[in-house]
Amino acid sequence: MKKSILLTGGSGMVGSNVRDHLQANYTLYAPSHTELDLLDRQALKQYLQSHPVEMIIHTAGAVGGIHTNMKYMAQFLVENWNMGQNVVLSAREAGITKLINLGSSCMYPKEWRRPLLEEDILTGALEPTNEGYAIAKSAVARLCSYLQREDPRYHYKTIIPCNLYGKYDSFHPEKSHLIPAIIHKLHWAVKRGDQEVTIWGDGQARRESLYAGDLAQCINQTITRFETLPEILNVGVGHDRPIDEYYRAAAKVIGFHGRFRHDLSRPSGVARKLVDVSKAQQWGWEATTKIEEGIATTYEYYLTQPIAQ
């Protein structure tokens, strides 16, 4: 009999990639927001009572790029915390002993230059541009840890991916993260015949980017090797590159041959954010998708979306 799994955020980028990887081998419940509002604790309780859920993978969240994070900081804090605590506490009340919580590398201190260890969470000041989101994610991860320590029967674990991109991403300028934003910007620059594209900041801030399909494969592996999964696990590619380099890689894929200009009046974000993936490697997982391959696949998906027309 197939294992029954509740996947929250099943229509989002991460959730959609997870569905691609899991739906053939598991009984997957992935209700839409209209079918199940995670901000409604009573509705969630009733859903778990009426479905034979054995495990929860919590990927749902209010997310956005740097612009949206700055504009809606209070909303991102409140909604992500409320969703997270509702899912985790409802799982415990329902007696569901296995849960994977999706964290974020923005949970880490902003000023650290070395690769970030899982133990570094809540040891320094957060990046101001996404502080609300980071506080909520950190609190939910701590809640999972506390419940597991209080009762070892409840294995509630957190995976912390680095920056993500890939199929099913949001390409809207106000909601997108780095790579989808670059793809959208360069696509339209080519379409209009622009000879110049503007990059926020100096382009030297370094970012680590993981193809979402690789994260989905990792989550698939957590199900089959759940008992050996650490309580908190970084998931990334193990190296970073300057934002300028992402622009150059995407320009090659999309066919933009113009020049880049840096707008120094705009924020660059944190200077560096690279997660240490040594625990993941020891556990037996590594990313396999190269950046050029990932951008090309993501661009192919983008071309099917109305925003690209």
Side-chain angles (χ1 to χ4, degrees):
M1 186 174 180
K2 292 182 178 180
K3 182 185 289 291
S4 298
I5 299 173
L6 170 61
L7 172 66
T8 71
S11 60
M13 179 187 65
V14 174
S16 295
N17 279 278
V18 171
R19 291 174 74 168
D20 285 351
H21 280 71
L22 299 190
Q23 57 192 359
N25 298 316
Y26 301 96
T27 299
L28 200 62
Y29 300 108
S32 66
H33 175 73
T34 55
E35 295 172 313
L36 177 61
D37 182 359
L38 298 178
L39 295 174
D40 186 338
R41 181 82 168 272
Q42 186 60 31
L44 182 54
K45 179 179 179 180
Q46 292 174 352
Y47 190 92
L48 293 177
Q49 288 175 341
S50 60
H51 295 77
V53 174
E54 300 172 70
M55 180 180 184
I56 295 177
I57 300 173
H58 178 46
T59 73
V63 298
I66 186 171
H67 173 77
T68 309
N69 270 298
M70 292 169 65
K71 187 176 181 180
Y72 301 108
M73 197 168 292
Q75 177 184 336
F76 276 23
L77 189 159
V78 172
E79 290 191 4
N80 283 293
W81 165 241
N82 285 341
M83 275 189 279
Q85 68 159 330
N86 283 349
V87 169
V88 174
L89 295 178
S90 296
R92 185 186 64 169
E93 291 171 5
I96 298 167
T97 59
K98 294 182 178 180
L99 183 147
I100 298 293
N101 169 54
L102 193 72
S104 167
S105 59
C106 69
M107 295 157 58
Y108 286 114
K110 65 173 182 174
E111 297 295 345
W112 292 31
R113 297 297 182 263
R114 64 163 172 77
L116 296 155
L117 299 165
E118 289 86 349
E119 294 77 18
D120 293 331
I121 296 172
L122 297 179
T123 60
L126 299 167
E127 164 59 32
T129 57
N130 55 22
E131 185 181 85
Y133 179 77
I135 289 172
K137 285 293 186 179
S138 299
V140 176
R142 277 291 194 263
L143 178 60
C144 289
S145 296
Y146 294 159
L147 293 177
Q148 183 168 269
R149 293 172 200 173
E150 290 175 8
D151 189 338
R153 293 176 302 167
Y154 291 91
H155 301 284
Y156 292 175
K157 304 183 181 185
T158 297
I159 290 177
I160 303 177
C162 63
N163 296 322
L164 297 169
Y165 72 100
K167 291 166 54 181
Y168 312 112
D169 213 334
S170 170
F171 298 91
H172 191 284
E174 290 193 1
K175 297 181 180 179
S176 57
H177 291 97
L178 179 64
I179 290 181
I182 291 173
I183 286 174
H184 178 67
K185 186 185 294 187
L186 293 182
H187 170 79
W188 279 98
V190 170
K191 207 162 188 178
R192 292 189 301 261
D194 296 346
Q195 296 303 307
E196 182 178 272
V197 164
T198 301
I199 300 174
W200 279 25
D202 62 8
Q204 295 307 300
R206 302 183 69 87
R207 293 292 180 269
E208 178 186 18
S209 295
L210 176 70
Y211 184 63
D214 284 353
L215 173 62
Q217 188 280 324
C218 178
I219 290 175
N220 186 34
Q221 182 170 310
T222 67
I223 300 171
T224 58
R225 300 181 54 198
F226 192 85
E227 302 305 325
T228 62
L229 180 68
E231 181 179 309
I232 300 178
L233 184 72
N234 286 335
V235 177
V237 296
H239 58 83
D240 57 7
R241 62 188 75 215
I243 287 174
D244 276 355
E245 193 170 321
Y246 287 110
Y247 271 90
R248 289 194 294 269
K252 186 175 181 180
V253 169
I254 296 169
F256 175 73
H257 303 293
R259 58 187 177 275
F260 295 113
R261 179 181 69 85
H262 294 99
D263 183 352
L264 300 181
S265 69
R266 298 287 192 171
S268 299
V270 64
R272 190 185 194 197
K273 188 168 62 175
L274 173 66
V275 300
D276 186 295
V277 295
S278 56
K279 280 188 180 180
Q281 291 172 342
Q282 291 167 11
W283 183 62
W285 182 86
E286 290 188 55
T288 58
T289 304
K290 304 299 183 184
I291 188 64
E292 296 82 5
E293 175 190 352
I295 290 177
T297 303
T298 305
Y299 186 51
E300 288 177 8
Y301 172 79
Y302 170 80
L303 291 175
T304 69
Q305 302 305 297
I307 197 170
Q309 308 310 313

